[in-house]
């Protein structure tokens, strides 16, 4: 009971690469990966996205049959989970039995690519221009592949991880924003602390680089900052997974330990609430504030930048070293929390920081922060 | 560890839009399955479903003005069930300010009809959809956190708003996760439940081509036949249920009516295939075994099973085998029933509606029947309560939910004796 929880593996698929050390180095070098989308963005307020340009699905999934079932977010999730297990030197079935590994993940909105959506209506439009359900039933349903439904279910990326890696432990899938990635991490921490499992694979994935996602985000107002201030979040794609273990188990098996979770806080943002007040409430309840390293949440969203900077000043964190991953690799939404925490852990491991704060503030209601300490 | 009790229930289902009518219909063995009327399904291979009937979206909007812009039907089903549960528990809005919310949801609904005006330019999809993007009032796709967002804005729930999308296991997982939070003292009150509707062209069409649905369109009320030898598949339904869950200490302190106690929860993954359950039922076995272990109970302590019981050939056989494996001889001695025979499969909502049914079984002493089971068979050879509702004086009910993708969840509820 109440075992300390440590990070022993990091697996990332991001626009800045796959290797956490390389990603951190590129962020330190100020490498920005945003590019103009391949599609016409003239009606979108956001003019950029951040892709994982070299992600070759056929390399990772040579069996075409399997690949047909998987959206890009599922593919990235499976690769990131595999990298995390490898990084932690965990062989499922040897290091831990499949039932001993919990799996908590977060997935994003809209896994379908636009081409798949438009295929659905291609043969289903009546003479009046409206959706013709007669044609949809008679023609379209005979032409679309049965696997379509699996691409619509938001739990699928995490299920694919369980299947590819033979993970069979306790589980849940949360959706659709960064805060739900925080929930996935917290669920893993709790499972270990309460002694229900010695190891948890926690992560998230999201693909915001196809036009369907751009439509969604434009409609949801997530590009408003671009319209108002000429800057904002750059939608990205990727996935991240962390291996969490009880510290005793990790030490006993001689695992590489990146950092230990020493505190976290998650709060919900009400419609009428002031962002700064919520962030302040989160900070005030954290016990350890003398951090020497901070992974900030802010990318380009003006409100978040302002509120977060105010907090750093208020809590005397100006002397800490800061990194702003989202400014360089874009916003990974449902995957952002895990990637942020992973990059904090990598930076602490690499530079010997003692206490690292990770902010996971962004779209959606849930906002959270984690504090990691050097082991 | 805290003891956790249920003090409020809210249900919207194909057989009743509140708790009382649901329970009277489900114990009377009434089917809620019929020809689909929400849209023209006459040219779909499957034309039947379990629709929620006589449901007023406008009434829900009166309770929750923040929902006026929402188009996704399942959000309204969820809001209505949540409202009933909170009223039933006698909670003031202020009591939920710092509470936790656990919401289970299923498939994202998006409006195909919004894209059709541009279908003639599909060769150039970039141009085709631009106009949609500028329309903020009609979301092409409703985010899955919409129910949680509206409930949060209305009541607070600043203790955390979990949005669980674990497919058919989501409705049970949210209750199990809520139980853990309460048991471990993380919070004193949780509103937990799920809502789903796949009765739209994409949901029904997509699942019908998967061939998991019964296409017996000429006999809708008999189409869902869990554990029957002639079963041909499940029937999609829609609905929602929410449970107010509190620590026993808090419930007692405020003099709340206590329906039942939640005793255990287990979850597992098949790690087999996204499309099929593990034929050996190992994931299902583990989730039930973990629920028993967490409750500190033995197989002999289980008095009734509220089965996942979808009516698909694979599920019912695998579930029966798994129940026998976990409960041993006890599996042959206790009643096992399937609510889906009347409601259809409400996907994410099923686990919550069936959990509510388990709670009502304990509090009213009635086990609902499994209807349409007329042809027993060797693979499904347990007591499925096929003859009609039955009296119950047992102390525990185990409720199973197994999801697409291989996620499994099992809950154990206990009779509360003051």
């Amino acid at each position: 009971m109440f075992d300390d929880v440590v990070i022993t593996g990091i697996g990332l698929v991001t626009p800045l690469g796959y290797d956490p050390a390389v990603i951190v180095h590129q962020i330190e070098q100020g490498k920005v990966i945003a590019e103009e989308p391949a599609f016409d963005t003239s009606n979108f307020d956001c003019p950029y996205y951040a892709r994982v340009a070299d992600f070759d699905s056929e390399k990772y999934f040579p069996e075409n049959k399997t690949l047909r079932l998987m959206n890009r977010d599922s593919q990235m999730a499976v690769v990131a989970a595999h990298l995390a297990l490898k990084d932690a030197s965990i062989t499922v079935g040897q290091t831990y039995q499949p039932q001993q590994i919990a799996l908590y993940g977060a997935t994003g909105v809209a896994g379908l690519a636009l081409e798949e959506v438009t295929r659905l209506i291609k043969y289903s439009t009546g003479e009046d221009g409206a959706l013709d359900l007669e044609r949809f039933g008679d023609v379209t349903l005979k032409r679309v592949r049965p696997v379509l439904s699996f691409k619509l279910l938001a739990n699928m990326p995490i299920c694919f991880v369980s299947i590819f890696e033979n993970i069979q432990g306790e589980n849940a899938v949360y959706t659709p924003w960064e805060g739900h990635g925080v929930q996935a991490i917290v669920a893993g921490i709790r499972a270990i602390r309460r002694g229900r499992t010695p190891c948890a694979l926690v992560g998230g994935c999201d693909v915001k680089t196809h036009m369907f996602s751009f439509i969604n985000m434009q409609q949801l107002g997530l590009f408003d900052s671009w319209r108002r201030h000429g800057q904002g979040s750059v939608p990205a794609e990727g996935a991240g997974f962390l291996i969490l273990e009880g510290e005793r188990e990790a030490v006993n098996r001689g695992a590489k330990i990146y950092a230990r979770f020493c505190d976290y806080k998650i709060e919900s943002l009400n419609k009428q609430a002031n962002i700064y007040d919520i962030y302040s409430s989160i900070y005030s309840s954290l016990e350890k504030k003398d951090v020497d390293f901070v992974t900030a949440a802010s990318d380009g969203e003006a409100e978040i930048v302002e509120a977060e900077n105010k907090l750093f000043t208020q809590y005397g964190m100006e002397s800490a070293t800061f990194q702003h991953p989202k400014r360089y690799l874009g916003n990974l939404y449902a995957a952002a929390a895990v990637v942020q925490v992973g990059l904090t852990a990598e930076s602490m491991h690499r530079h010997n920081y003692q206490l690292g704060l990770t902010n996971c503030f962004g779209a959606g209601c849930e906002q959270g922060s984690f504090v990691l300490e050097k082991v | 560890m805290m003891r956790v009790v249920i003090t409020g229930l809210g249900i919207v289902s194909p057989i009743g839009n509140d708790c009382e009518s649901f329970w009277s219909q489900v114990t009377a063995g009434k089917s809620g399955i019929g020809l689909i009327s929400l849209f023209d399904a006459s040219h779909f291979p499957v034309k039947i479903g379990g629709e929620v009937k006589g449901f007023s979206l406008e009434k829900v909007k009166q309770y929750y003005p923040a929902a006026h812009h929402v188009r996704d039907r399942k959000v309204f089903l969820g809001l209505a069930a949540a409202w009933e549960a909170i009223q039933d528990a006698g909670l003031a809005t202020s009591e939920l300010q710092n509470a936790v919310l656990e919401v289970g949801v299923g498939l994202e609904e998006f409006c195909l009809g919004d894209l059709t005006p541009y279908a003639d330019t599909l060769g150039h999809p970039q141009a085709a959809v631009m106009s949609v993007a500028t329309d903020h009032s009609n979301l092409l796709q409703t985010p899955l956190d919409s129910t949680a967002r509206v409930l949060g804005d209305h009541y607070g729930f600043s203790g955390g708003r979990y949005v669980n999308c674990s497919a058919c296991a989501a409705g049970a997982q949210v209750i199990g996760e809520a139980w853990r939070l309460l048991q471990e003292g993380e919070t004193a009150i949780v509103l937990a439940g799920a809502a789903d509707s796949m009765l739209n062209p994409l949901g029904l069409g997509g699942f019908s081509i998967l061939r998991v649905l019964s296409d017996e369109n000429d006999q809708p009320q008999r189409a869902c036949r869990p554990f029957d030898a002639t079963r041909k598949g499940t029937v999609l339904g829609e609905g929602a249920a929410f449970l107010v869950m509190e620590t026993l200490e808090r419930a007692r302190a405020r003099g709340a009516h206590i329906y039942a106690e939640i005793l255990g929860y287990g979850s597992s993954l098949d790690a087999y295939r996204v499309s099929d359950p593990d034929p050996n039922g190992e994931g299902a076995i583990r989730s039930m075994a973990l629920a028993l272990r967490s409750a500190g109970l033995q197989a002999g302590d289980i008095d009734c099973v509220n089965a996942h019981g979808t009516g698909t050939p694979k599920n019912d056989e695998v579930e029966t085998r798994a129940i026998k494996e976990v409960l041993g001889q006890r599996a042959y001695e206790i009643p096992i029933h399937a609510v889906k025979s009347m409601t259809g499969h409400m996907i994410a909502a099923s686990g919550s509606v069936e959990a509510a049914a388990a709670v009502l079984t304990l509090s009213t002493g009635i086990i609902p029947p499994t209807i349409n089971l007329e042809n027993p068979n060797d693979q499904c050879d347990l007591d499925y309560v096929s003859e009609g509702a039955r009296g119950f004086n047992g102390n525990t009910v185990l409720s199973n939910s197994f999801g697409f993708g291989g996620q499994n969840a099992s809950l154990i509820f206990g009779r509360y004796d003051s």
Side-chain angles (χ1 to χ4, degrees):
Chain A
M1 289 284 274
F2 301 105
D3 196 5
D4 283 326
V5 178
V6 295
I7 298 172
T8 58
I10 303 172
L12 303 178
V13 175
T14 79
L16 277 176
Y18 301 73
D19 182 339
V22 172
I23 297 168
V24 165
H25 179 70
Q26 299 213 61
I27 290 170
E28 288 169 354
Q29 298 298 308
K31 183 172 181 181
V32 178
I33 207 74
E35 58 180 312
E36 289 184 14
F39 50 82
D40 179 3
T41 57
S42 54
N43 276 28
F44 298 121
D45 292 320
C46 174
Y48 303 112
Y49 65 24
R51 290 179 65 243
V52 185
D54 63 346
F55 187 81
D56 179 2
S57 53
E58 289 179 4
K59 174 184 158 193
Y60 297 109
F61 307 98
E63 271 191 62
N64 193 36
K65 193 178 169 188
T66 310
L67 192 58
R68 280 190 314 173
L69 292 165
M70 303 169 76
N71 286 334
R72 193 167 166 86
D73 49 0
S74 291
Q75 297 165 18
M76 290 180 166
V78 169
V79 172
H82 184 75
L83 291 172
L85 287 162
K86 191 176 169 190
D87 186 45
S89 301
I90 287 177
T91 304
V92 178
Q94 290 180 18
T95 318
Y96 294 109
Q97 292 308 305
Q99 305 90 321
Q100 289 183 295
I101 304 176
L103 178 57
Y104 286 97
T107 61
V109 182
L112 281 185
L114 182 68
E115 292 73 26
E116 294 183 271
V117 179
T118 51
R119 196 177 294 138
L120 290 168
I121 58 168
K122 189 173 180 181
Y123 307 103
S124 311
T125 306
E127 289 172 5
D128 60 354
L131 180 67
D132 183 337
L133 290 174
E134 189 174 325
R135 292 187 191 189
F136 187 81
D138 287 340
V139 183
T140 301
L141 286 181
K142 289 174 183 155
R143 289 174 181 255
V144 296
R145 288 181 297 203
V147 296
L148 175 77
S149 294
F150 293 113
K151 294 189 172 186
L152 291 165
L153 287 166
N155 67 328
M156 280 301 139
I158 307 307
C159 293
F160 278 114
V161 168
S162 86
I163 291 165
F164 274 88
E165 299 297 341
N166 193 25
I167 308 293
Q168 300 178 10
E170 67 170 61
N171 63 92
V173 189
Y174 304 102
T175 189
W177 305 114
E178 183 170 349
H180 301 100
V182 174
Q183 291 174 347
I185 299 170
V186 169
I189 294 171
R190 283 183 180 143
I192 295 169
R193 282 197 178 159
R194 292 290 170 180
R196 295 196 305 269
T197 187
C199 177
L201 180 59
V202 298
C205 60
D206 214 335
V207 171
K208 293 282 188 264
T209 49
H210 49 68
M211 182 180 279
F212 200 45
S213 289
F214 263 60
I215 294 172
N216 275 312
M217 287 191 288
Q218 178 80 28
Q219 287 194 314
L220 291 169
L222 295 176
F223 293 159
D224 285 359
S225 180
W226 284 100
R227 189 178 66 251
R228 290 202 300 260
H229 308 289
Q231 61 178 33
S233 292
V234 172
E237 63 180 7
F241 275 86
L242 304 174
I243 301 294
L244 310 186
E245 293 182 76
E247 187 167 346
R248 275 172 299 180
E249 283 87 351
V251 169
N252 286 344
R253 75 176 185 89
K256 168 182 64 183
I257 296 177
Y258 283 93
R260 175 194 297 128
F261 283 95
C262 68
D263 207 354
Y264 62 82
K265 177 69 179 172
I266 181 165
E267 280 211 17
S268 299
L269 185 66
N270 282 326
K271 196 177 180 180
Q272 61 274 22
N274 180 302
I275 288 179
Y276 172 78
D277 291 341
I278 289 292
Y279 295 173
S280 183
S281 172
I282 290 171
Y283 275 40
S284 63
S285 66
L286 292 174
E287 287 180 13
K288 294 186 178 179
K289 299 184 178 69
D290 50 340
V291 298
D292 55 356
F293 183 76
V294 176
T295 297
S298 57
D299 43 7
E301 290 278 354
E303 269 185 305
I304 295 177
V305 172
E306 188 184 335
E308 199 175 32
N309 285 342
K310 195 172 164 186
L311 283 167
F312 293 147
T313 306
Q314 184 186 334
Y315 287 95
M317 295 180 193
E318 297 101 321
S319 60
T321 302
F322 287 77
Q323 72 173 352
H324 295 81
K326 291 180 190 168
R327 293 184 185 174
Y328 302 97
L329 54 77
N331 193 330
L332 290 156
Y333 294 94
V338 170
V339 172
Q340 295 266 106
V341 172
L343 293 176
T344 302
E346 170 62 27
S347 297
M348 291 176 71
H349 191 62
R350 180 183 167 94
H351 294 302
N352 213 25
Y353 297 118
Q354 298 303 303
L355 204 59
L357 171 75
T358 308
N359 285 343
C360 303
F361 305 150
C365 299
E366 303 304 302
Q367 314 291 320
S369 293
F370 294 91
V371 181
L372 299 178
E373 64 187 346
K374 187 90 178 174
V375 174
Chain B
M1 291 289 196
M2 302 279 190
R3 289 175 66 185
V4 180
V5 294
I6 290 108
T7 58
L9 292 174
I11 302 172
V12 175
S13 80
I15 49 174
N17 295 352
D18 57 55
C19 205
E20 189 180 342
S21 55
F22 165 79
W23 195 239
S24 77
Q25 296 294 296
V26 80
T27 51
K30 300 287 187 188
S31 170
I33 314 294
L35 286 171
I36 285 173
S37 64
L38 288 167
F39 61 92
D40 179 9
S42 59
H43 287 261
F44 284 49
V46 174
K47 311 175 200 324
I48 56 175
E51 291 181 347
V52 170
K53 300 153 195 81
F55 183 77
S56 169
L57 270 59
E58 293 309 312
K59 195 173 166 187
V60 179
K61 287 179 184 175
Q62 285 174 15
Y63 299 145
Y64 299 104
H68 72 275
H69 65 286
V70 176
R71 299 164 86 193
D72 190 336
R73 183 172 167 83
K74 66 175 166 285
V75 174
F76 293 99
L77 302 178
L79 294 176
W83 186 86
E84 188 193 6
I86 292 164
Q87 298 299 309
D88 185 42
L91 291 172
T93 301
S94 58
E95 291 180 89
L96 296 168
Q97 184 61 45
N98 300 316
V100 169
L101 177 65
E102 288 263 8
V103 180
V105 287
L107 211 66
E108 283 167 355
E109 179 177 343
F110 61 88
C111 301
L112 291 176
D114 288 351
L115 286 172
T116 53
Y118 314 100
D120 58 345
T121 58
L122 281 175
H124 308 281
Q126 286 92 335
V129 296
M130 281 306 183
S131 300
V132 177
T134 57
D135 183 357
H136 289 253
S137 60
N138 289 316
L139 293 181
L140 186 65
Q141 190 167 27
T142 305
L144 284 175
D145 65 335
S146 297
T147 308
R149 191 180 284 254
V150 173
L151 288 172
D153 285 346
H154 195 87
Y155 297 106
F157 291 114
S158 63
R161 301 173 199 166
Y162 296 82
V163 182
N164 182 312
C165 63
S166 299
C168 322
Q173 280 196 349
V174 291
I175 293 166
E177 296 292 329
W179 172 68
R180 283 178 178 159
L181 291 174
L182 289 157
Q183 197 192 33
E184 293 164 5
E186 296 274 344
T187 183
I189 184 162
V190 182
L191 177 68
D196 212 350
S197 175
M198 287 187 49
L199 296 180
N200 53 64
L202 188 58
L204 182 71
F207 270 70
S208 64
I209 57 177
L210 273 180
R211 299 187 178 172
V212 294
L213 301 182
S214 166
D215 59 357
E216 295 163 285
N217 299 311
D218 54 344
Q219 49 172 357
Q221 298 199 340
R222 288 201 66 252
C224 193
R225 298 192 291 278
F227 306 109
D228 189 273
T230 66
R231 65 191 185 279
K232 287 193 167 177
T234 196
V235 174
L236 283 182
E238 61 175 2
F242 274 87
L243 283 66
V244 173
M245 299 168 62
E246 298 178 66
T247 57
L248 175 61
E249 190 180 17
R250 187 186 193 283
R252 271 185 179 157
R254 72 181 187 92
H257 168 69
I258 295 172
Y259 283 95
E261 186 169 359
I262 175 164
L263 303 174
Y265 165 57
S267 72
S268 68
L269 290 153
D270 280 359
Y272 179 66
R273 287 183 192 158
V274 289
S275 53
D276 298 305
D278 174 0
N280 297 319
E282 288 180 11
I285 290 168
R286 272 198 310 280
S287 77
M288 285 188 269
L290 284 169
L292 276 171
R293 191 197 301 170
S294 69
L297 297 176
Q298 304 295 317
D301 296 321
I302 296 300
D303 297 323
C304 175
V305 177
N306 182 333
H308 185 52
T310 59
T312 61
K314 285 179 183 169
N315 173 82
D316 297 355
E317 190 178 325
V318 170
E319 185 174 12
T320 297
R321 199 179 306 142
I323 290 169
K324 289 179 192 174
E325 178 69 27
V326 175
L327 300 186
Q329 181 58 32
R330 186 67 174 163
Y332 294 91
E333 300 166 355
I334 60 172
I336 293 158
H337 70 107
V339 170
K340 289 185 184 77
S341 61
M342 292 166 274
T343 60
H345 195 335
M346 296 167 280
I347 309 294
S350 284
S352 291
V353 172
E354 289 157 18
V359 168
L360 288 165
T361 292
L362 286 160
S363 65
T364 65
I366 305 172
I367 302 171
T370 302
I371 67 167
N372 300 324
L373 202 176
E374 295 164 359
N375 304 285
N377 62 96
D378 291 344
Q379 285 74 40
C380 302
D381 57 350
L382 300 176
D383 171 7
Y384 299 107
V385 197
S386 58
E387 76 289 354
R390 190 184 296 176
F392 180 64
N393 60 5
N395 292 313
T396 58
V397 178
L398 167 68
S399 187
N400 285 332
S401 297
F402 307 140
F404 287 111
Q407 291 183 269
N408 309 295
S410 298
L411 296 162
I412 299 175
F413 296 93
R415 183 187 299 280
Y416 175 72
D417 185 350
S418 60

